Amino acid sequence: MASAGDIPGAIGLPQEAVDAIADEEDRALFGERYDIERLKRNDPRCKALRMMCHMRSFRDSPRLERPAWERLGAYVAANDHLQKLDLDDCELDDSNMAALFGTLTASVSLREMVLTRQQGWSFGVNGVRCMAPFLASSSALTSIDIGQNSGIDSECLESLLDALAGGNVETLDFTACDIRSLSALGECALPNLRTLKLGYNRITDVPPQALANCNHLVHLDLACNKIGESGFHAIACLLRGGSRLNQLHLTSTAMNDTDMAIIANSLKCNRRLHTLHK
């Protein structure tokens, strides 16, 4: 429900009139195809919202500009039922991220967020930093997919991990970004992390203790990264340390005979791993 104080010239109007003005503004901001009505009315049936911004030709919906992102953030923050927010390919740059997370500072219900494929508009570290209050305050959030974004680098990874430290996140997907170092991972405690996808980055820096805090991982994907001998030692430490890892992806990691021996020796005392892609 809209507030008269949020709409210029609406002070003193009946609530029905205020709502009508807000509805008209929403149509101008979002077009006709987004399920904004259920979201802002806090409809219990609104469990997932997919913006599909890349399909703007559908019903002539406009490109989402800063005011639309600000309002979307406010609606999501006020909603008690939304569990998944899918913003795949929505032209999110740093400016739009600041608008969205300037109003979306917490959510009591959101469990999954998808921010994939921003392509030429990809946000970077400033956009990730805008997420920090939301990430630190949204205890229900368990899954973040931020993959296929060229602006997501090692500094972004560090900022995101700092904001999530000690939280309830279970799945992090950074597939096909521009991450080159995992040093920040060894300094962060994510006690509930089960799935970590880092395939198809440009990771070459994996300190031996990079995975020391990842004993609860079940699925680790480092495919198509030249992680080097140090990276294989980090994985070996994880496998020997009583981890719960049962799926490990190491395809196209430039693994040589020495690296294979490192992993093979670590598996002698590991009974959990059942799938190894190499």
Side-chain angles (χ1 to χ4, degrees):
M1 183 178 293
S3 168
D6 297 330
I7 300 175
I11 299 295
L13 293 178
Q15 185 62 49
E16 292 82 358
V18 174
D19 289 342
I21 294 172
D23 290 344
E24 186 64 28
E25 289 185 348
D26 285 346
R27 281 190 288 273
L29 290 173
F30 298 104
E32 300 289 341
R33 64 190 161 87
Y34 302 126
D35 197 7
I36 299 298
E37 185 68 22
R38 285 187 177 185
L39 177 71
K40 72 180 182 180
R41 303 298 183 202
N42 205 15
D43 189 325
R45 294 172 296 178
C46 186
K47 302 292 187 183
L49 179 64
R50 184 183 180 192
M51 295 304 288
M52 296 185 294
C53 306
H54 58 294
M55 297 174 62
R56 288 196 299 274
S57 60
F58 185 73
R59 297 188 188 176
D60 298 320
S61 294
R63 177 178 182 264
L64 297 190
E65 303 291 350
R66 186 180 182 90
W69 289 114
E70 290 175 344
R71 187 162 292 192
L72 177 64
Y75 286 158
V76 173
N79 190 281
D80 298 323
H81 307 288
L82 188 69
Q83 296 179 10
K84 180 177 180 178
L85 180 60
D86 188 343
L87 302 177
D88 173 67
D89 195 8
C90 274
E91 302 177 346
L92 276 169
D93 55 16
D94 285 338
S95 177
N96 287 336
M97 288 287 285
L100 174 64
F101 289 101
T103 51
L104 178 52
T105 56
S107 170
V108 297
S109 61
L110 203 60
R111 298 180 183 178
E112 182 177 356
M113 176 164 281
V114 178
L115 297 168
T116 48
R117 296 194 310 158
Q118 303 310 324
Q119 299 185 18
W121 304 83
S122 182
F123 57 92
V125 67
N126 291 328
V128 171
R129 286 170 179 162
C130 291
M131 298 174 65
F134 164 76
L135 296 175
S137 303
S138 302
S139 59
L141 190 67
T142 59
S143 177
I144 302 172
D145 188 349
I146 205 168
Q148 301 182 64
N149 285 309
S150 60
I152 300 300
D153 58 15
S154 304
E155 190 176 5
C156 294
L157 175 64
E158 181 177 1
S159 294
L160 192 140
L161 292 176
D162 285 345
L164 291 171
N168 295 322
V169 68
E170 297 177 3
T171 299
L172 289 175
D173 192 338
F174 294 95
T175 302
C177 291
D178 193 33
I179 297 167
R180 305 185 186 209
S181 173
L182 295 186
S183 58
L185 190 60
E187 301 169 3
C188 179
L190 294 171
N192 296 293
L193 188 62
R194 301 293 184 271
T195 298
L196 180 58
K197 296 183 179 181
L198 291 159
Y200 297 90
N201 277 268
R202 289 198 270 180
I203 299 169
T204 56
D205 177 26
V206 186
Q209 297 302 313
L211 302 173
N213 293 325
C214 297
N215 280 336
H216 291 89
L217 273 183
V218 174
H219 184 172
L220 175 62
D221 185 354
L222 286 167
C224 297
N225 291 288
K226 296 181 179 180
I227 60 176
E229 186 174 331
S230 178
F232 289 104
H233 277 296
I235 295 169
C237 288
L238 180 66
L239 292 171
R240 286 196 302 265
S243 75
R244 301 179 183 179
L245 198 66
N246 60 44
Q247 292 190 58
L248 178 59
H249 294 259
L250 296 175
T251 307
S252 299
T253 51
M255 183 187 296
N256 58 34
D257 290 344
T258 299
D259 303 327
M260 289 183 185
I262 292 170
I263 297 299
N265 287 332
S266 68
L267 290 175
K268 292 178 180 178
C269 52
N270 182 287
R271 295 293 181 267
R272 292 182 180 269
L273 190 73
H274 61 68
T275 304
L276 173 59
H277 298 276
K278 59 181 179 62

